[in-house]
Every structure is written in C-alpha cells, then in structure tokens.
Amino acid sequence: MEKIANKYISYLFVIMLVSLFIFPLIWMFILSTNSKTDIYSFPPPLLPGVELLTNFENLLDQIPFFMNLWNSVYVATSNALLILFVCSFAAYGFARFTNAPGNRAIFLLVIASIMVPPLAGIIPWFMEMKWLGWIDTHWPLIIPTAAYPFGVFWMYQYIKQAVPDELYEACKIDGASDFRIYIQMVIPLIRPGLGALAILSFLNSWQNFQLPLIILNTTEKFTIPLALTNLTTQFGTDVAGIMLGTSISVLPIFIAFILASRHFIEGLTSGSVKS
C-alpha cells in the first residue's frame, strides 16, 4: 500500500512540475488572442480571447514576419548541419589518430575554449566579419559558429564509446580510406549523438539574439528574435504581437525536436546504463 501511495505522489509531483513549465507557453498563446486593453487589465486574462486575427494582421503590418521566420529557419538549419559535419569530423580525427603529433595538445585547447565566454572576443570577431564583407549578411551566423567546441568534445566522447578501435583496423585491412570509414562506418554508429547535437545546435542558433543584433541592419534579413524587438517603439510595446510572434516561432523548435527526439534521448542517455 505504501508503494502505491509513493507511486501516486511521484505522479502528482511530476504533473505539477510539468504544469509549471507548460503554463508559460499556454499563457503566451492566450495573451496573443487578447487585445492590448485586456492584457493590461487586472486580473490578467486566463482564457483565450477573440483578437487573434486582428493581432496577426497588426503583426504582419509592422514586420515582414514570414520572411524573418524563414531567415531563422535557414540560419538555424544551415548552422546545425554545418556543426554536425565539422564537429563530428574533427572529433573523428581526434579519436581516430590519437598518436598524431599535437593531437592531445590541440584537443585540450578545444576543451579550454569551452570555458571562454562567447562575447569575450566579439570585437575582433566583428572586425573579421567586416574585413570579409559579411556585415548585414547571414554568413557570420552560420560559418564561424560551426567550430563549436562543446560539439567537438561531445562527439569525441561519443565516438570513443561507440566506435571500437578494432573497427578502424578491419576497415583499413579492407582498403577503406579514412574519409570512407568516417562516412560509411562512423556516421551510422553515432547517429544518436548527432541527433542530440543537432537539437542543441538548432536551439542555440534559433534563440541567438546578440550576434544578429550586431551583424544585421536590414529588417528583411532579421531573424525572429531580432525582428520581434521592432514591435517595441516609442509609442509602446505591442505585447499581443510579441506573444503571437513568439508562439508561432516556437513551432519549428517543437517540429525539430519531434523529428529528432528518438536520437536526442538516445544520445543523452548513451552510457548511462552499462551492460
């Protein structure tokens, strides 16, 4: 009887915890359906309103929303795919050629760079982007961030665990090149790790605000986080528009997570259970 009671108590605790995290998302959508007057009323609205279409029309009048949404999808997807290749390929090199000169030193340097705050080198980074002529383009949001130190460390640990050294030796005996081993043998074995890294990379790129703020000048090139700031003017803040835009902008994140959820969970739990 005590076990059953503890079980239901655990379920109740989980439900309360989930509700605590889900309620802000639900309330965000509720606010997006109410008028500005209702939003600032007391008590605040807890039920959906009837101003959804009006708020949506106002949102489209103020910013090129769908173009900004496409910019975020393009930047986040391109950046995530590039991170997957660069980080997994670099990690494969570190894990495969452990006896290469400088392997250990370079890998330690990669790990050390994880501790450096991203904004610490923002000034030389901006000067470099200006020298390359990439100001007001999406390239600075895609190319430089592909060298993701945590991604290299993550994939290195995953490759060391998932790919035995004997497999490399067997492939070399069969005459396979190192790049062919990476494409045909290593990639299929590390798909769960790639799935987890893809979600993390996509999310980081999607919610990035600081770099687009520094690089982008044209409204049509803004990503969603930056575009929504245009709804705040000297005449006030369009809270309903911001809530509606944010509600729509989280949908690609949910879709990306659903598509890669199995690999994401497998990647995060890999090694937690020893056989």
Side-chain angles (χ1 to χ4, degrees):
M1 192 67 180
E2 183 179 353
K3 291 183 178 180
I4 297 178
N6 292 336
K7 179 180 179 181
Y8 283 108
I9 292 174
S10 300
Y11 284 158
L12 180 61
F13 176 76
V14 171
I15 292 174
M16 293 175 60
L17 190 62
V18 170
S19 301
L20 181 65
F21 286 101
I22 290 181
F23 177 73
L25 296 176
I26 298 176
W27 198 30
M28 178 176 64
F29 176 74
I30 291 175
L31 292 179
S32 69
T33 63
N34 285 270
S35 65
K36 186 175 181 179
T37 303
D38 294 333
I39 290 175
Y40 284 108
S41 63
F42 185 84
L46 296 177
L47 295 176
V50 294
E51 300 293 328
L52 180 61
L53 291 179
T54 302
N55 293 334
F56 187 65
E57 291 175 356
N58 293 335
L59 177 65
L60 296 182
D61 289 339
Q62 296 179 75
I63 60 174
F65 179 77
F66 287 111
M67 184 174 295
N68 298 142
L69 183 63
W70 163 250
N71 291 338
S72 286
V73 172
Y74 166 70
V75 169
T77 303
S78 302
N79 182 242
L81 292 176
L82 193 57
I83 284 177
L84 291 183
F85 173 73
V86 172
C87 292
S88 63
F89 196 49
Y92 165 71
F94 286 123
R96 171 77 174 85
F97 306 104
T98 54
N99 295 324
N103 180 297
R104 187 66 176 174
I106 297 176
F107 184 67
L108 291 177
L109 184 62
V110 171
I111 296 178
S113 64
I114 299 177
M115 311 300 176
V116 179
L119 296 181
I122 196 69
I123 294 178
W125 175 83
F126 178 80
M127 295 175 63
E128 181 182 1
M129 297 303 103
K130 185 177 180 180
W131 179 77
L132 291 172
W134 286 358
I135 300 298
D136 201 27
T137 70
H138 293 137
W139 295 118
L141 309 179
I142 299 174
I143 305 297
T145 52
Y148 185 28
F150 175 78
V152 176
F153 174 73
W154 169 268
M155 295 313 306
Y156 172 82
Q157 297 294 333
Y158 205 92
I159 291 174
K160 290 292 288 184
Q161 179 181 4
V163 185
D165 293 335
E166 292 77 10
L167 180 62
Y168 297 132
E169 298 174 1
C171 292
K172 294 301 289 184
I173 292 175
D174 290 339
S177 64
D178 293 318
F179 188 74
R180 184 180 177 185
I181 294 174
Y182 164 73
I183 294 295
Q184 296 185 354
M185 302 302 298
V186 175
I187 292 296
L189 293 176
I190 62 173
R191 281 185 298 180
L194 290 173
L197 181 60
I199 291 294
L200 294 175
S201 303
F202 185 89
L203 181 60
N204 288 337
S205 180
W206 185 270
Q207 65 185 7
N208 190 356
F209 174 78
Q210 191 71 42
L211 296 186
L213 177 64
I214 296 172
I215 288 295
L216 301 178
N217 301 319
T218 307
T219 304
E220 286 73 17
K221 296 180 181 179
F222 284 179
T223 56
I224 279 295
L226 185 58
L228 293 178
T229 61
N230 280 357
L231 299 179
T232 300
T233 66
Q234 59 179 336
F235 303 107
T237 301
D238 185 1
V239 177
I242 293 177
M243 294 298 102
L244 179 57
T246 306
S247 299
I248 298 175
S249 68
V250 300
L251 292 178
I253 298 177
F254 286 131
I255 294 174
F257 181 79
I258 291 173
L259 294 177
S261 59
R262 181 171 63 88
H263 294 308
F264 179 71
I265 296 173
E266 289 180 6
L268 292 182
T269 58
S270 177
S272 59
V273 180
K274 295 182 179 180
S275 57

